[in-house]
Amino acid sequence: MEFNIAVIPGDGIGPEIVREAQKVLDQVGKKFGHTFHYTEVLMGGVSIDKTGVPLTEEALATAKASDAVLLGAVGGVVGKDSWYELPPNLRPEAGLLAIRKGLGLFANLRPAYLYKELKDACPLKEEIIGEDGFDMIIVRELTGGLYFGEHKTVNENGLETAYDELKYDESEIERIARKGFEIAMKRRKNVISVGKANVLDSSRLWNKVVARVAKEYPEVTLTEMLVDNCAMQLVKNPSQFDVILTENMFGDILSDEASMVTGSIGMLSSASLGEGKFGLYEPSHGAAPDIAGQNIANPIATILSAAMMLRYSCDLDQEADAVEAAVNKVLEEGFRTVDIMADGMDQVSCSEMGDLISKRI
Ligand code: NAD
């Protein structure tokens, strides 16, 4: 099969880590008989330098016309990079918001997976992690809820008073629920839907709509959980989770909590999906300007994001499994980039890590 991928290297370590992900994709192509056509797209600081804005209309159109987008990261250092002398809407990070909005991405996926070999980086106790560790994915609604409602601060009875509106309609809940169940069908078929239905109308509507969508997926087990309980359960018994389906703000908080219990920022992939199979895939970390250009960044988060792209945008589950297995193998063999280095392991560079993973596909 053939796929058109828009590639956005971005700033900082972005170009280094994206290069390694492309290396792995090309190896997948060779091994399984697919071709990935890449079109490079400018975004972030590099785009400001060349065009004056963090994302041009042409760049967005190129991304839109592709099957999927693979992104490194954007941004630099405030006080050091001149980009931050510009107004906020022209800074590198504004490109991120513009592309997410422009591409209509409404579902954010953040897996939290504990590698056996990296158990020491996990802040949880051995008896909590258990033999098998944990492997969950948070499916977060990305374009509705509290962050997108009306915000205002007014004077009421002589007091400054702030309002933030939390609003969801049925269609917004339905489309994210469907994504959650589709993803569960590719995994262990277990969805935990998280909200605050004991207090919020929006959560009660959420539960009603999710239960309705669940009927279309009789193989999937659906459970409702309150968000405060979920926050506790993530550190008490993380292995109970497969797919966590939740609204925007709860997902924002829970996905950071879930990722921290895995211990290592250089390992965490993410995806943002729109209608159909289209998606944007990027590591959860930023542009890491402190280590840029040194060939020491960990490319695994980006490589695993490319694996998610294979699974969700290209429908290539076997190929995605092969990438994940290759990452596991390299870790088992004791190769580590500096951020996850431990005693007795072999330290490798960013490009060596990409080579090692490619060779094991
Ligand atoms: P960061 O994630 O870039 O870095 C935090 C720390 O983790 C740094 O010490 C960095 O060296 C390390 N780190 C991150 N990724 C790593 C990797 N793959 N391998 C090894 N070490 C890694 O967060 P920050 O320092 O807060 O932000 C730096 C810049 O990135 C800022 O301009 C910020 O706005 C931007 N940013 C961009 C995105 C994005 O593009 N999606 C996300 C977050 C931050």
Side-chain angles (χ1 to χ4, degrees):
M1 292 173 81
E2 298 201 13
F3 301 94
N4 293 315
I5 312 296
V7 173
I8 308 181
D11 308 314
I13 59 170
E16 300 165 53
I17 53 180
V18 163
R19 198 176 303 132
E20 300 316 309
Q22 285 180 261
K23 197 185 268 175
V24 171
L25 283 175
D26 288 338
Q27 180 59 23
V28 166
K30 233 191 244 164
K31 182 93 190 206
F32 292 87
H34 308 298
T35 310
F36 299 99
H37 302 286
Y38 305 110
T39 311
E40 199 166 312
V41 171
L42 283 180
M43 193 173 90
V46 279
S47 174
I48 296 171
D49 290 343
K50 292 214 171 103
T51 70
V53 292
L55 182 75
T56 61
E57 287 296 325
E58 295 88 309
L60 179 61
T62 308
K64 248 186 198 164
S66 64
D67 295 314
V69 182
L70 181 65
L71 165 66
V74 298
V77 181
V78 180
K80 183 166 166 260
D81 292 299
S82 58
W83 308 321
Y84 295 98
E85 287 155 24
L86 296 166
N89 64 328
L90 289 178
R91 291 181 190 174
E93 290 78 4
L96 273 177
L97 300 180
I99 200 165
R100 285 180 185 147
K101 187 156 178 266
L103 295 177
L105 305 172
F106 63 85
N108 181 245
L109 274 48
R110 289 262 297 265
Y113 176 79
L114 185 69
Y115 287 88
K116 266 202 318 283
E117 294 72 26
L118 301 180
K119 262 187 181 169
D120 288 348
C122 174
L124 301 180
K125 285 188 188 146
E126 190 92 41
E127 66 255 35
I128 291 175
I129 304 170
E131 265 302 293
D132 300 327
F134 50 84
D135 174 7
M136 71 184 94
I137 187 163
I138 301 195
V139 178
R140 163 189 169 197
E141 202 288 327
L142 204 56
T143 56
L146 200 56
Y147 298 169
F148 287 84
E150 193 190 340
H151 308 289
K152 62 177 179 190
T153 305
V154 293
N155 195 303
E156 275 181 10
N157 308 318
L159 294 172
E160 241 194 326
T161 307
Y163 289 88
D164 297 290
E165 179 190 40
L166 166 47
K167 187 180 112 191
Y168 271 110
D169 70 34
E170 287 178 83
S171 69
E172 289 171 302
I173 302 171
E174 198 174 311
R175 66 180 185 175
I176 185 76
R178 198 157 277 124
K179 283 277 183 218
F181 284 100
E182 291 292 336
I183 288 160
M185 289 298 289
K186 284 180 178 269
R187 296 175 48 97
R188 302 194 303 279
K189 301 191 173 63
N190 191 317
V191 170
I192 294 188
S193 175
V194 174
K196 190 75 184 165
N198 51 345
V199 182
L200 300 175
D201 261 28
S202 57
S203 290
R204 285 190 278 271
L205 179 64
W206 182 277
N207 284 351
K208 191 167 128 188
V209 176
V210 170
R212 195 163 76 203
V213 174
K215 294 207 178 89
E216 297 167 32
Y217 301 88
E219 288 172 59
V220 179
T221 310
L222 169 67
T223 319
E224 288 167 11
M225 191 179 274
L226 293 175
V227 63
D228 39 352
N229 184 28
C230 183
M232 286 194 292
Q233 295 297 329
L234 279 172
V235 290
K236 199 169 156 225
N237 179 15
S239 60
Q240 70 185 290
F241 295 105
D242 176 19
V243 175
I244 294 179
L245 173 65
T246 191
E247 60 96 69
N248 201 347
M249 183 179 64
F250 296 155
D252 187 10
I253 298 166
L254 294 174
S255 58
D256 268 14
E257 184 189 355
S259 64
M260 274 325 290
V261 296
T262 68
S264 179
I265 191 164
M267 306 287 299
L268 300 167
S269 54
S270 90
S272 301
L273 307 182
E275 296 292 355
K277 301 228 165 282
F278 187 82
L280 177 145
Y281 300 84
E282 59 181 320
S284 293
H285 59 72
D290 52 335
I291 57 166
Q294 300 174 37
N295 194 22
I296 60 168
N298 186 348
I300 293 180
T302 317
I303 290 170
L304 292 172
S305 303
M308 287 177 88
M309 182 179 91
L310 294 172
R311 196 179 300 285
Y312 297 116
S313 283
C314 309
D315 242 332
L316 300 175
D317 286 355
Q318 202 192 343
E319 289 79 345
D321 289 345
V323 174
E324 289 165 2
V327 169
N328 254 317
K329 185 105 209 306
V330 167
L331 293 174
E332 260 167 38
E333 290 170 18
F335 296 106
R336 302 281 188 275
T337 43
V338 64
D339 57 311
I340 50 172
M341 187 58 193
D343 284 349
M345 300 293 141
D346 286 325
Q347 190 172 319
V348 295
S349 66
C350 178
S351 55
E352 284 166 339
M353 185 54 99
D355 288 338
L356 287 163
I357 294 168
S358 298
K359 283 196 191 114
R360 282 152 187 78
I361 301 274

